[in-house]
Amino acid sequence: MKRSNLPDRRGYFGEFGGKYVPETLMAALDEFETAYRGLRRDRAFRSELDDVLRDFVGRPTALTEAKRFAELCGGMRLFLKREDLNHTGAHKINNALGQALIAKRMGKKRIIAETGAGQHGVATATACALLGLGCVVYMGEVDMARQELNVFRMRLLGAEVVPVTSGSRTLKDAINEAIRDWVTNVRTTHYIIGSVLGPHPYPLVVRDFQSVIGREALAQLRKRTGSIPDVAIACVGGGSNAIGLFYEMLKHDSIRFIGVEAGGRGPNLGDHAARFSGGALGVLHGTRSMVLQDEFGQIAETHSISAGLDYPSIGPEHAYLQQIGRVEYYDCSDDLALEAFHKLSECEGIIPALESSHALGWLLRNGASIGSGKIVIVNLSGRGDKDVPQIAALEGR
Amino acid sequence: MNRVRKLFQRLKTEHRCGLIAYITCGDGPTIEIIRALEDAGADAIELGVPFSDPIADGPVIQAAAMRALKNGTKISDIFTIARAVRERSEIPLIAFSYLNPVLRHGIEKFADHAHAAGIDSVLLTDLPAEAAAEVKPAFKAKGLGSIFLLAPTSSDARIAVVDRASDDFIYYVSTMGVTGARSELDPALLTRLDEVRAQVRKPLAVGFGISKHEHFALLQDRCDAIVVGSAIVRAVADGDEIGAATRAGEIVRSIRMI
Ligand SMILES: Cc1ncc(COP(=O)(O)O)c(C=O)c1O
């Protein structure tokens, strides 16, 4: 398969994507798209971005072979793409900085963002501090409680963190509130959405900024193994770290792609965030995709041990890649993710984010079917420091 | 010709600015409230379909939607309400929803059920005019009008697109922001309204934030109708259930002052 030239001009990946927003925002989306199309190939912009990614974020991130963990998974050659080593501790900074640089060029002095795990909020607050932009982050009250450390970090970075008390008080509600702010302040404000979600052009822009992950990984793997991977695996919340790893690899027909969703505590609606097994075609937050909802079209509440995967919709490009059969999607339960979290910590000396632990959990359970000679890459999307207090509380320590 | 289109023709011959009343279906005794709104002089009713994630709504309508959903309100209840109104009244009814509940019901099935229940037109908040083709043919086949929004940020090109796509009238969003009563109208509104009106052929209704007679007085010569939403929804919630309809009617009377 050639790497797709999607989305089309109207922002669709097949039947998924598009722009479903109140009229007030249409002009801002057009403005953002025009600005981005101009900057996408602009030398000065690219080199400014490359400089901050190198000198501030610390790219390229390492590629680490995980031999001891691989043995537990059935003995493949396993490589971890170390997005946890980015400044601020996750892949989110790649997108936050890219968009903040665009906002600055557009003359927008105020940035808003939503956050679930707090990683995107921290990344956005960091980018704003670096570039001298005002920053307001919306975060559900439930998430604020389970990611307290990140709330404090955002405030240290000078951002205002606004608790969201509506609905399920998690990521979905934080996005609702961010959109309401944007509708009100759109002339002065840019909304930095944290994943490959939302109305066009966000899924395109965020993918472009995250695709640095796969580009680096391919070059690093070639150097280390002389070849491309057989299997690429990533966890999927909205889907930005997964698209980031997969995008440059999609042109290689031989690579098998696996996205891992949050299986939560079981298959009933409300107990997980597995959009492909439990969702239906719908429109949420400006994009048409697979959405967890009840039979009346009301959006369902979701559950995951990891705040970053706890969301009822999925990026439209993933819905497309699933539909055409290019990427396989599975889910990993809370318990299995926790098991992988501990295993990686103990046998590799790397504490993974709970989100990334879902990708590792899938491999732990299913690795034996892959074959021992195969080269496997997992996107280690973030570090687990933020999750330590939650896990300590959960496990009574 | 549907009842909404007829209404705007009548308003034109009467040289009068109409008042459209929005309510969240399933929050309070909806059928009684509609009767009271009509008795108080409302010219048309917007039947708000409650949605779990109302991104274009402020706190008042958000809370109403949550109450309605908690009461178990489903899209089929909107049809039941419309049928009950139709038993005694020819007041124009406009279904006002986010896209997802309608998508889930099925666009064609929705058009069928809405038409059979006596609903005249449909406005989907998060469906911009560019995507009109996704619903319009199905709505049109049942004689339902499609209504689209314009906003202060809409460019001239978009104004033209919305004018073409809207069947019965255009809903002009008065201000930047979500729904909710405001004490003052947006200072830029009146000039902008004159500019927009000069560019469109369809009737223009103005909504968001309108809650007082002063607003109505300022707007009545500049548009074909005003929409009152949060002020009514708040009055419904602000007291016991028995008085809800009366309180809603009083809002309409106080705004029209007739
Ligand atoms: C470390 C980490 N990984 C993954 C995710 C999920 O997001 P996405 O699917 O967009 O990569 C998050 C979101 O907060 C995160 O913090």
Side-chain angles (χ1 to χ4, degrees), chain A residues 90-92 117 119 194-195 235-242 308-309 353 355-356 381-382 386:
Chain A
H91 67 294
K92 299 285 182 186
Q119 288 304 112
S195 191
C235 68
V236 187
S240 67
N241 88 87
L309 305 184
E355 289 79 12
S356 326
S381 56
K386 68 183 175 58

Side-chain angles (χ1 to χ4, degrees), chain A residues 294-369:
Chain A
D294 70 13
E295 60 182 303
F296 306 109
Q298 304 298 337
I299 307 306
E301 303 209 337
T302 50
H303 163 82
S304 170
I305 191 172
S306 67
L309 305 184
D310 203 350
Y311 180 70
S313 182
I314 189 166
E317 190 161 13
H318 286 285
Y320 174 74
L321 291 168
Q322 194 263 355
Q323 190 182 55
I324 64 169
R326 188 64 186 100
V327 178
E328 300 159 52
Y329 295 84
Y330 301 102
D331 50 65
C332 165
S333 69
D334 286 352
D335 289 346
L336 185 53
L338 259 179
E339 188 184 331
F341 174 91
H342 284 294
K343 291 267 154 61
L344 194 80
S345 305
E346 286 159 22
C347 61
E348 297 293 346
I350 299 169
I351 301 176
L354 277 175
E355 289 79 12
S356 326
S357 300
H358 285 69
L360 298 165
W362 184 87
L363 190 64
L364 198 56
R365 187 57 41 91
N366 300 283
S369 67

Side-chain angles (χ1 to χ4, degrees), chain B residues 61-109:
Chain B
I61 294 179
Q62 279 176 49
M66 293 313 129
R67 284 192 299 270
L69 290 174
K70 222 179 195 160
N71 294 339
T73 309
K74 304 173 184 59
I75 209 159
S76 56
D77 296 318
I78 281 70
F79 305 134
T80 311
I81 289 165
R83 272 196 303 274
V85 173
R86 277 291 163 260
E87 278 175 18
R88 52 157 191 85
S89 168
E90 286 298 302
I91 191 164
L93 295 176
I94 301 150
F96 199 98
S97 182
Y98 289 86
L99 182 54
N100 202 56
V102 173
L103 268 186
R104 188 64 202 248
H105 195 77
I107 305 265
E108 264 145 42
K109 211 167 122 195

Side-chain angles (χ1 to χ4, degrees), chain A residues 20 23 172 176 180 288 298, chain B residues 52-54 134 154 158:
Chain A
Y20 298 92
E23 172 66 22
K172 143 181 114 69
N176 289 342
R180 291 182 187 119
R288 181 197 291 266
Q298 304 298 337
Chain B
S52 54
D53 295 82
E134 294 176 30
S154 304
R158 294 195 51 76

Side-chain angles (χ1 to χ4, degrees), chain B residues 212-225:
Chain B
K212 300 194 225 177
H213 177 71
E214 291 92 294
H215 301 160
F216 180 58
L218 278 169
L219 288 168
Q220 61 177 344
D221 296 328
R222 290 191 154 90
C223 62
D224 301 286

Side-chain angles (χ1 to χ4, degrees), chain A residues 105-342:
Chain A
R105 302 262 179 138
M106 288 195 299
K108 308 252 170 168
K109 301 216 157 46
R110 179 175 178 269
I111 298 293
I112 55 173
E114 85 294 340
T115 197
Q119 288 304 112
H120 175 59
V122 168
T124 304
T126 299
C128 290
L130 178 71
L131 299 176
L133 300 166
C135 182
V136 176
V137 180
Y138 290 92
M139 189 169 188
E141 267 191 337
V142 170
D143 290 337
M144 283 179 76
R146 59 180 163 177
Q147 302 286 347
E148 223 182 328
L149 189 64
N150 274 343
V151 175
F152 193 59
R153 288 168 81 196
M154 287 184 267
R155 288 181 173 148
L156 283 177
L157 291 160
E160 181 190 345
V161 182
V162 182
V164 175
T165 56
S166 56
S168 56
R169 294 173 291 145
T170 58
L171 181 56
K172 143 181 114 69
D173 310 283
I175 297 182
N176 289 342
E177 229 25 65
I179 294 176
R180 291 182 187 119
D181 178 318
W182 203 31
V183 169
T184 310
N185 301 299
V186 61
R187 289 192 170 117
T188 57
T189 299
H190 177 64
Y191 176 23
I192 301 189
I193 202 163
S195 191
V196 283
L197 290 167
H200 180 66
Y202 282 103
L204 163 73
V205 173
V206 179
R207 176 190 76 193
D208 283 0
F209 286 134
Q210 292 294 0
S211 61
V212 64
I213 301 171
R215 207 158 39 242
E216 284 177 10
L218 277 176
Q220 290 167 319
L221 272 175
R222 253 196 205 108
K223 217 162 163 189
R224 297 271 278 282
T225 68
S227 79
I228 57 173
D230 297 298
V231 186
I233 307 174
C235 68
V236 187
S240 67
N241 88 87
I243 284 284
L245 180 70
F246 298 167
Y247 187 63
E248 293 285 341
M249 298 183 180
L250 283 167
K251 59 184 171 236
H252 299 290
D253 286 331
S254 65
I255 303 177
R256 182 180 172 202
F257 296 97
I258 292 167
V260 185
E261 298 177 277
R265 56 189 166 219
N268 293 335
L269 194 64
D271 284 346
H272 62 82
R275 285 71 45 107
F276 288 120
S277 57
L281 189 64
V283 168
L284 178 66
H285 296 147
T287 190
R288 181 197 291 266
S289 188
M290 296 303 286
V291 180
L292 289 165
Q293 54 185 306
D294 70 13
E295 60 182 303
F296 306 109
Q298 304 298 337
I299 307 306
E301 303 209 337
T302 50
H303 163 82
S304 170
I305 191 172
S306 67
L309 305 184
D310 203 350
Y311 180 70
S313 182
I314 189 166
E317 190 161 13
H318 286 285
Y320 174 74
L321 291 168
Q322 194 263 355
Q323 190 182 55
I324 64 169
R326 188 64 186 100
V327 178
E328 300 159 52
Y329 295 84
Y330 301 102
D331 50 65
C332 165
S333 69
D334 286 352
D335 289 346
L336 185 53
L338 259 179
E339 188 184 331
F341 174 91
H342 284 294

